[in-house]
Each structure stands twice: as structure tokens, then as C-alpha cells.
Amino acid sequence: MQKIFLYNTASRKKEELKPIVGGKVGIYSCGPTVYWNQHIGNMYSYISWDVLVRVLKYLGYEVKQVMNLTDVGHLTSDGDSGDDKMEKGALREGLSVWEIAKKYEEQFFESEKLLNINRPDVVCSATQHIPEQIELIKKIEKNGMTYVISDGVYFDTSKFPDYAKFANLKLEEIKDTDRNEISKEKRNLSDFALWKFSPKDGTKRQMEWDSPWGVGFPGWHIECSAMSTKYLGEVFDIHTGGIDHIPVHHTNEIAQGYGAFGHQTANYWIHNAFVVGKGGTKMSKSLGNLFLASELKDVGVNPLAYRYMVLNSHYRKGLEFSVDGLKVANIAYEKLVRLINEWNDGGKINDSYKKEFEEKIADDLAMPEVMALVWKLTKDETVKNEDKKATLLDFDKVLGLNLGKSIEEVIPDEIYQLAKERTEAKIAKDWAKADTLREKIKTMGYLVEDFKNDCKIRKLVLS
Ligand code: AMP
Ligand code: ZN
């Protein structure tokens, strides 16, 4: 079996993957907080772990992937104060928290579908696992690592000597940014909530449960400790998430593991870097670079062109996103699909390319090198076209780019609108307007062909 190497944040080194049970790998992936849309920056994370699962399966492993949906307890401040993001989302939209959860779960799975991300074997939500979270807190309490203050049950991080190790934290430099009653009551500023009490002023939370400590709701981190160990065992192989999770969420999950079981729960912690705007700027709606997967077609690209773009970056390096870059990726992606679809079926997989492919995917998911290999193969005159096709369709089990399907034309709504106006102009016999609109559509890269009282729109092929 091909040896697999992954960069483990816990050791800051590339390590050989040695599964607990030979040939089987358990993966827990931190999933979305379903209080708002997941944008293509978030989706970078899920594409990366989809590729990881596909790589493991391609190389012959049996994989069980578990992913959570955070639908309670993720507060706006990492210091365990502020609002619950879910309740905030509900207020924003005039819906109940449960409706918000459902709405954004659907948006998330719709985005996953558009980007060809396979559904994990287990998808579990925090609100469906309250008893498991309470049980875990009880274990940590029994081991003497908790204390209760006015707003909840807290983990005493001073009881876990290695607390700072995972993220190389400088605990003495942590500042009391919240400066409120809770932070004054905490024994250490790094302590975090395991269970929060409902407000004492009588305001009723939409989500709250009974517990041995009082009515309230779980802290954000305990759900991942409870659900990962429930579905994968007290120790499992791989835990994934974005780099933003290293200093708080995953550091706290590791502490909870020690608190409850006395040992680490995951052997390999792997993290994706971020998608940023031009020059490293944050992705934001006001900069015009924050997209949803469902909006990709509005700029005239196939949603899988974004997946193609992600594959050309390395998950630990992240991606500098721009619409221009996305359009270039779309041209390359469509060219690749068209090329493959021109070749005959019935070829054989090329062994030497397959070997190189396996080495690259097993080397900490070196996908940019894999993409270079893909293009090298398309141009290799010593390999028959039908063999190229067979080899690339085999690689596509990992790439997930639907290389064997013909390209679906993506027509942006704006073009549809102009074409509709043109048809109306034609019906009204306003030929001059119809011609102007046809030209306008053409300069935007599309061709309208008349068809009775309707028309067909085609994308102009650029190269
Ligand atoms: P959230 O719903 O905020 O918990 O985020 C879901 C996931 O998306 C987390 O694993 C984050 O690390 C990840 N994430 C958020 N923003 C970005 C970004 N711009 N690029 C890559 N990953 C991101
Ligand atoms: Zn998590």
C-alpha cells in the first residue's frame, strides 16, 4: 500500500499516516455553524477534506468521515461572552433558531452538491447530542477540571499542563478583551465554557435544556469532543478544520479530551489555510469577492471551475481569490473537459502516470503538482488519446471535476435578461434595438441565435 504523509499541526511536521486499525481511517471534520450562508471561503475547507477522503479511498483505505453542524452555542466572542450566533441569525431574519438552522443547513448542502463534495458518512448536529455533551462534561467534572461561576460551568485550563502546547500559545500574553463580569470570575483567562446557563434576567432562550448544573446550553467546543468520540471512538485518526480553529476551538477540544479521557482523542490534526482577496485582504461582501457557490454562475463560470481553482492551490497555502482568476480557471477547466470528451473510450490506464499521481496525492495532498501532471499527460504525444482519457477519468475519482461529463453551458442571469429584452424588441419589430442588444451580448462573450419567437444563447469559445 502507498505510504501517505500528512502535515500534523500537533507535531508541526509531515508524518506518515499510521491508522489505528490497519486499512481503516476515521476522520472528524469540523463543519459549519448554520447561522448564515457558507461562502466559497468556507467551502475551501470542505473541498480540501473531500479531496482527503477521496485520496484515502483511492489508495485503498476504508474511510469513515463524520462532520458536525453547529446549531447552538457558538458565540460571537471566543471569550465565551456575546450572543449565540444562532439566536442572532434568528433575530436578523425574523425566523426561529430552528428555522435558521434548517435554512442554512440546506444552503450548505446545496453548495456541497454544486462543488461535487461527497456527503460525509455521518452528519450530526449539536442539538441532537445534548445528553452526550452533558455526559462528557460530567466526566471532566469528575476528574476535577471544572468549576462553576455565575454564568456557567468552565474548564480550568491550569489543570491541563499542556494546554498551550498545541497552538504554541503564550498564556501570559492573553488579554482580557471582554472585560466583563464573566472574565473577572474566570480563574484563568484561557478557561472556557462547557455549559452556559440561560440568562438569569428571565429572557428565555429559544434553545435550552436541563442539565445537572441548571438550565442552559452547551459551550461550542464540547459538541465536537462528544460527537467525534461517539462516532469514531475515544481515539481516532484524523481531525480536520480551518487554521482559525487552532488557537481556540481545537486547543479546547484537546483539553476536553484530556479532561474526560486522560489522553488525546485525535492522532493527526490537519488544517487548511484561508481563501483571501487580492493582496491577502479578507474576503468580504463589500469588496465584491465574497461569493456563494450558487452565485458562481452569475459571473459566467461553472461552479466546478471553483473546485478546479481550489485544486490548483495547496490546502496549507490557501488561495488568493479574484473573479479574474476564477474566469481563467473556468477557461482551463472547460478546455480540459472538452479535450477529454473528444477522445475515444476503451483506453487503458497509463501505469507510469498513475504511479506518479499516487505519489503526489500521498505527499500531503500535493494537488497543484497533480494538476500539472494532468496537463502534462494531455500533451504527452507518447500516450494514446484513449489511454489519456482512461487515466484522467481514473484520476477524477480524486479530483471530483466530472471530467467525463460534457460541459453544461453557464449563462449568467444578466445575459438571459438582455436576451429576453432583445426578443421583446424583435416581437415589437424594433430591429435597431434588437441589433444593439445582440452586439452588447456579443461583447459580453455570448451569441444569440434566433429560434421562432425565442432564442438560444451560446457562449463564445475563446480559444
Ligand atoms: P464557520 O461556519 O464560521 O464555523 O466556518 C466553517 C469553516 O470554514 C471553518 O472550518 C473555518 O475554518 C472555515 N473558513 C472560514 N472562512 C474561511 C476562508 N476565508 N477560507 C477558508 N476557510 C474558511
Ligand atoms: Zn469543531
Side-chain angles (χ1 to χ4, degrees):
M1 225 178 201
Q2 173 77 46
K3 280 186 182 176
I4 299 176
F5 293 87
L6 291 172
Y7 182 86
N8 190 351
T9 304
S11 64
R12 302 274 187 294
K13 278 202 298 269
K14 248 193 233 181
E15 288 179 30
E16 187 187 339
L17 175 68
K18 294 196 171 132
I20 298 162
V21 179
K24 293 187 179 182
V25 180
I27 303 181
Y28 184 83
S29 300
C30 277
T33 306
V34 285
Y35 74 112
W36 216 340
N37 288 314
Q38 290 285 300
H39 52 70
I40 55 171
N42 303 122
M43 299 316 290
Y44 183 86
S45 195
Y46 308 115
I47 294 175
S48 303
W49 313 137
D50 179 58
V51 170
L52 170 65
V53 171
R54 288 169 180 263
V55 162
L56 292 167
K57 288 185 175 166
Y58 184 89
L59 296 175
Y61 290 88
E62 199 183 302
V63 182
K64 180 174 177 184
Q65 188 192 17
V66 178
M67 194 185 66
N68 69 309
L69 300 173
T70 299
D71 54 359
V72 67
H74 192 171
L75 305 185
T76 46
S77 152
D78 278 343
D80 284 319
S81 58
D83 303 317
D84 186 323
K85 291 190 177 185
M86 294 300 297
E87 303 247 351
K88 223 177 149 192
L91 270 178
R92 185 185 63 229
E93 298 187 29
L95 296 171
S96 75
V97 273
W98 304 98
E99 286 165 337
I100 286 287
K102 187 157 185 297
K103 175 172 173 186
Y104 290 110
E105 251 175 69
E106 276 168 17
Q107 188 271 340
F108 171 64
F109 284 116
E110 198 48 46
S111 308
E112 294 243 289
K113 215 158 101 191
L114 285 170
L115 298 169
N116 218 5
I117 299 170
N118 289 325
R119 207 180 169 103
D121 304 283
V122 178
V123 176
C124 42
S125 46
T127 54
Q128 299 304 309
H129 295 77
I130 301 297
E132 288 88 342
Q133 296 178 69
I134 291 177
E135 276 315 304
L136 208 64
I137 301 171
K138 279 182 25 206
K139 280 200 174 100
I140 305 171
E141 185 179 47
K142 207 166 144 221
N143 291 333
M145 299 174 98
T146 67
Y147 61 94
V148 177
I149 56 173
S150 59
D151 89 315
V153 182
Y154 278 73
F155 187 102
D156 185 346
T157 53
S158 67
K159 298 272 171 73
F160 174 41
D162 278 344
Y163 182 76
K165 198 172 151 196
F166 182 66
N168 282 331
L169 297 176
K170 303 239 177 325
L171 294 181
E172 60 288 357
E173 287 175 14
I174 296 185
K175 299 237 165 29
D176 181 6
T177 43
D178 286 350
R179 286 174 191 282
N180 55 22
E181 282 313 308
I182 304 164
S183 60
K184 281 190 211 128
E185 280 184 60
K186 281 190 195 178
R187 289 185 190 165
N188 313 286
L189 280 174
S190 50
D191 293 353
F192 57 92
L194 296 165
W195 186 264
K196 293 266 288 184
F197 300 137
S198 289
K200 299 245 171 6
D201 61 6
T203 13
K204 197 167 157 41
R205 280 178 53 89
Q206 292 186 47
M207 287 174 166
E208 57 182 20
W209 296 265
D210 254 338
S211 84
W213 311 278
V215 175
F217 58 100
W220 171 34
H221 320 294
I222 197 73
E223 68 176 85
C224 287
S225 294
M227 297 192 282
S228 59
T229 53
K230 170 176 175 164
Y231 293 106
L232 296 168
E234 254 183 42
V235 189
F236 55 92
D237 298 302
I238 302 176
H239 195 309
T240 70
I243 40 166
D244 53 327
H245 287 338
I246 299 172
V248 182
H249 184 51
H250 289 170
T251 287
N252 292 347
E253 248 190 272
I254 289 169
Q256 290 169 158
Y258 273 92
F261 310 112
H263 55 72
Q264 64 178 10
T265 49
N267 289 337
Y268 302 85
W269 291 81
I270 67 173
H271 292 98
N272 66 278
F274 263 39
V275 179
V276 293
K278 267 227 159 93
T281 50
K282 206 171 171 302
M283 298 275 285
S284 85
K285 266 220 176 338
S286 57
L287 292 170
N289 59 9
L290 184 68
F291 276 80
L292 306 183
S294 58
E295 290 170 343
L296 290 165
K297 63 173 182 9
D298 298 344
V299 285
V301 306
N302 192 308
L304 287 180
Y306 180 64
R307 188 174 171 110
Y308 179 93
M309 199 181 187
V310 173
L311 289 173
N312 276 282
S313 77
H314 188 265
Y315 79 92
R316 282 199 293 119
K317 294 233 167 63
L319 174 66
E320 189 175 296
F321 178 83
S322 68
V323 175
D324 289 345
L326 179 66
K327 288 186 173 165
V328 171
N330 193 59
I331 293 170
Y333 170 64
E334 294 193 350
K335 188 172 167 186
L336 182 62
V337 177
R338 288 206 173 92
L339 207 55
I340 292 172
N341 279 283
E342 277 169 16
W343 294 331
N344 290 332
D345 292 324
K348 278 205 325 271
I349 294 174
N350 182 289
D351 287 337
S352 105
Y353 273 94
K354 185 176 171 83
K355 186 164 172 288
E356 216 178 315
F357 176 75
E358 288 182 349
E359 281 163 8
K360 289 184 192 312
I361 57 174
D363 179 15
D364 197 28
L365 317 180
M367 301 316 289
E369 289 179 30
V370 165
M371 295 314 289
L373 183 72
V374 163
W375 283 105
K376 184 178 156 201
L377 172 57
T378 62
K379 291 173 195 137
D380 189 338
E381 286 170 5
T382 67
V383 182
K384 284 194 279 183
N385 282 348
E386 57 259 43
D387 292 352
K388 289 179 187 174
K389 182 170 184 173
T391 311
L392 290 170
L393 292 185
D394 178 59
F395 292 179
D396 200 40
K397 290 178 194 155
V398 169
L399 307 177
L401 289 170
N402 282 350
L403 295 178
K405 288 196 184 157
S406 53
I407 290 287
E408 258 179 53
E409 289 281 351
V410 177
I411 314 290
D413 288 345
E414 198 186 352
I415 302 290
Y416 268 123
Q417 201 47 44
L418 290 172
K420 199 167 145 238
E421 275 176 43
R422 183 179 165 274
T423 305
E424 281 160 10
K426 263 183 59 203
I427 293 168
K429 300 198 172 14
D430 186 349
W431 310 117
K433 186 174 177 191
D435 283 348
T436 313
L437 284 166
R438 177 202 282 274
E439 273 317 298
K440 186 167 178 192
I441 293 169
K442 200 169 164 192
T443 55
M444 291 166 83
Y446 295 83
L447 202 67
V448 258
E449 290 165 348
D450 291 322
F451 176 65
K452 291 186 188 157
N453 272 346
D454 206 343
C455 67
K456 267 189 187 163
I457 311 167
R458 270 198 306 121
K459 196 168 186 174
L460 288 166
V461 180
L462 296 176
S463 61

